[in-house]
Amino acid sequence: MHEALNALIQQCLQLVHPLLIVYPPSETLEKLQFQANLHEALFSTNSLKYALPKDYARLFLKNLISRISNELHESILETYMNLLADPIVVDPSKAVAVTYTLPHFTSLSGHIVPTCPITIFETPSLLSAYGTTGLRTWEAAMALGEYFVYSITNKPHFQWTTLSFHDTVLELGAGTGLVSMILGRLGVSQVIATDGDDGVVEKLQKNINLNGLGSVVTTKALRWGQNPTTAHKISLMVGADVTYDKSSIPFLVAEIASSFITNPNMRVVISATMRNRDTFETFRIECAKARLSLRETAWESREPPVFYYSRLSPILIVHVVKED
């Protein structure tokens, strides 16, 4: 019951749509103690630093209650009735707290780290208004975050890029900064989170400070191909969902290629959601022109997952290597 409770709580804190949540079996949901513990974790002011958005909480409880055919714990019913009576006006410009929970692990410095959250304030409803994708965390970022978590928690069986305490990492198109903050939590010594949108960088810095990672993760505005990263001595470059815009791909590849000049032993790992195969083919072609070879692997999340996100579109983990 403990694992089922934690999984349900993590999905709610990550604001997974209630219709897409993976709920425990009915015999678990029917238990009054399970319902009481769930309510305490999600709705008690002593448990949560940031309350669930009221519209989300109401929809979640509606779906939860529909799955319980027997007795309902009074706290669940009371909270739901209060939410129904409270007129809710959704403000699309208001940022909401989304919490991503990392499993316990041993950090790169050898410290045992218990289950810990990364909370990010996101405003997904403003994507169209501002024309930027950096206001919400996308599936490819969660997949790349999982990739690096697995590199720590399954190190003896991990066959791909592994992390070192001494790594200096630069993230391209960091957006909300989830990947950079995961790397900081895992114990990388220095992370530079970059984005081409000044407004996104400003919000990114606030989220980094919110999570107490300001001494490890720094931010920088970086427009690909305009101010090359050759001044940075880095050992690892990462990027999540940075290949979605065909027009920006030549600049992305130029940025990667220029970094190899100063950092010939640099590793590059990119995650890409395959929404449009023609767009990703442009990335392949531009990399070939720059004498960069790609090693592509379809990402498959393990069970239980670290994060909860849609798997409808395939996600690739791509290693970019400079050809001799």
Side-chain angles (χ1 to χ4, degrees), residues 207-218:
N207 282 318
I208 290 169
N209 295 340
L210 175 71
N211 288 278
L213 288 166
S215 62
V216 178
V217 184
T218 58

Side-chain angles (χ1 to χ4, degrees), residues 1-11 22 24-25 27-29 31 33-35 37-38 41 101 103-104 114-115 304 308:
M1 188 169 76
H2 181 69
E3 290 184 0
L5 178 64
N6 284 341
L8 186 53
I9 292 169
Q10 287 177 23
Q11 291 176 85
V22 179
E27 57 266 27
T28 300
L29 292 176
K31 295 178 180 178
Q33 188 59 55
F34 181 90
Q35 296 176 34
N37 292 344
L38 179 65
T101 306
H104 67 274
T115 301
Y308 297 86

